[in-house]
Amino acid sequence: MYNLKNKVAIVTGSGRHKGIGEAIVLKLAAEGCSIVISDIGQAKGTEFAAEHIGATDEMNEIAENCRTLGVEVITVACDVRVEADCENLIAQTVNRFGRLDILVNNAGVGYIMEPFTEFKESSWDAVLGVNLKGAFLCSKHAAIQMQKQATGGSIINIASQAAKTGFPFAAAYTASKHGLVGLTRSNAVELGKYKIRVNAVCPNHITTGLGHWQNKFFSDKLGLSYDDYLQAIVDKNPLGRTGQAEDIAKAVAFLSSDEAAYITGEAMNVSGGEEYH
Ligand SMILES: NC(=O)c1ccc[n+]([C@@H]2O[C@H](COP(=O)([O-])OP(=O)(O)OC[C@H]3O[C@@H](n4cnc5c(N)ncnc54)[C@H](O)[C@@H]3O)[C@@H](O)[C@H]2O)c1
């Protein structure tokens, strides 16, 4: 539908089953893109424990699923908080495919929630490190490569409804996602002359691995059952459902394509009408 044949895309944080990143790589592969699946690959300390991350085996399984769609796929482990890893991610992509057209900054941490007056410095650093600094580092090295190619490019930041609205216990997450929209706008203005478009997509609630953790966290805080909590989300949504990872993947495919050639600096809500500013 969007004809992304001959395009090369990196999606960070795309190595976890049921994640938004997995849906994005499958959609971009279906559109004919060559794909770089990237994730942290292994547990690191308590903040990046195995239950929350895309491990190497999972990355490889997702890569196999993409290959069944007839496209070339590689996997590259990258901790987006580490500049050398981000540089290596771009280098390996160019080594294998000769170019880079699309970067999706999807890696994110949304499971570190604490009351604000008890919010630990290490928690703040972990969330900001992945959600904001990670997008900065990957965008920087992607933009260097895209400028060299001189054929433009598309950078898409997966922000959140929390980029527009505040949420309790989520000071770091909300600040990081608001910051990501700032990064999007600044980069759009600065990189436009190279025909590099930079946009954000803002999902609301999606029951991924992270979403499932958040359902449990907020239903406990509100004293609701898991199902009643989800029903309350559905009830306040104009389109009467929660989001699906595929809804986000479709928006990313559109923003990646020439159909969006005149769109940059946007923070597009994909929320069933729940968020509209
Ligand atoms: N699920 C939702 O409701 C929702 C809503 C709004 C925004 N988002 C955003 O969508 C994105 C994807 O979230 P998801 O719900 O699919 O969760 P997820 O947990 O399935 O995906 C997040 C991925 O980020 C990876 N990651 C974490 N730290 C990393 C690091 N240091 N380096 C590289 N990768 C790292 C994880 O391994 C994981 O694969 C995140 O940015 C999240 O903030 C999700």
Side-chain angles (χ1 to χ4, degrees):
M1 185 179 174
Y2 290 118
N3 189 18
L4 299 177
K5 283 196 175 64
N6 304 320
K7 304 271 189 202
V8 178
I10 295 173
V11 184
T12 67
S14 59
R16 192 173 185 203
H17 285 307
K18 296 190 182 161
I20 291 172
E22 180 187 44
I24 293 171
V25 292
L26 287 168
K27 175 66 178 164
L28 294 181
E31 297 290 339
C33 247
S34 301
I35 302 289
V36 181
I37 294 175
S38 180
D39 213 305
I40 192 168
Q42 59 178 6
K44 281 191 181 177
T46 49
E47 268 108 10
F48 302 94
E51 63 174 308
H52 293 297
I53 64 151
T56 305
D57 288 355
E58 229 170 328
M59 255 200 284
N60 289 336
E61 284 165 16
I62 294 169
E64 274 312 307
N65 292 341
C66 284
R67 287 190 188 105
T68 63
L69 297 167
V71 297
E72 301 280 329
V73 185
I74 61 169
T75 59
V76 181
C78 168
D79 181 340
V80 296
R81 297 167 301 163
V82 179
E83 183 155 22
D85 277 22
C86 301
E87 241 181 309
N88 177 58
L89 172 61
I90 309 300
Q92 290 218 33
T93 301
V94 176
N95 240 358
R96 175 64 183 82
F97 296 115
R99 58 183 297 105
L100 170 65
D101 302 286
I102 298 156
L103 168 70
V104 185
N105 287 309
N106 170 73
V109 169
Y111 51 80
I112 299 177
M113 305 253 175
E114 293 162 11
F116 183 61
T117 51
E118 296 163 28
F119 217 101
K120 293 191 281 304
E121 186 180 359
S122 58
S123 301
W124 180 272
D125 288 345
V127 176
L128 272 286
V130 178
N131 297 7
L132 189 52
K133 180 181 161 189
F136 148 60
L137 291 173
C138 290
S139 299
K140 173 181 163 184
H141 291 284
I144 291 169
Q145 175 60 29
M146 288 173 179
Q147 284 182 22
K148 266 193 227 154
Q149 292 169 194
T151 50
S154 176
I155 297 174
I156 298 162
N157 296 319
I158 305 302
S160 172
Q161 183 172 26
K164 311 267 181 100
T165 291
F167 286 88
F169 310 107
Y173 187 76
T174 305
S176 72
K177 295 296 186 178
H178 276 69
L180 194 50
V181 171
L183 181 74
T184 302
R185 291 176 177 152
S186 179
N187 287 354
V189 169
E190 189 170 335
L191 301 175
K193 66 179 170 201
Y194 304 104
K195 301 287 180 281
I196 301 169
R197 297 182 295 103
V198 188
N199 292 289
V201 173
C202 301
N204 59 341
H205 180 78
I206 299 175
T207 300
T208 58
L210 165 63
H212 173 63
W213 184 93
Q214 289 177 342
N215 292 345
K216 287 207 292 200
F217 178 85
F218 282 114
S219 54
D220 283 352
K221 287 281 175 208
L222 294 167
L224 293 172
S225 73
Y226 188 98
D227 288 346
D228 285 350
Y229 172 73
L230 271 184
Q231 190 57 47
I233 290 180
V234 167
D235 288 346
K236 70 177 177 181
N237 188 289
L239 292 184
R241 67 171 175 88
T242 56
Q244 305 286 329
E246 290 71 22
D247 294 318
I248 309 310
K250 288 175 192 166
V252 168
F254 167 65
L255 289 170
S256 299
S257 77
D258 288 345
E259 300 298 306
Y262 198 52
I263 300 178
T264 195
E266 279 298 325
M268 181 198 277
N269 298 312
V270 180
S271 72
E274 194 183 307
E275 186 68 54
Y276 50 82
H277 72 280

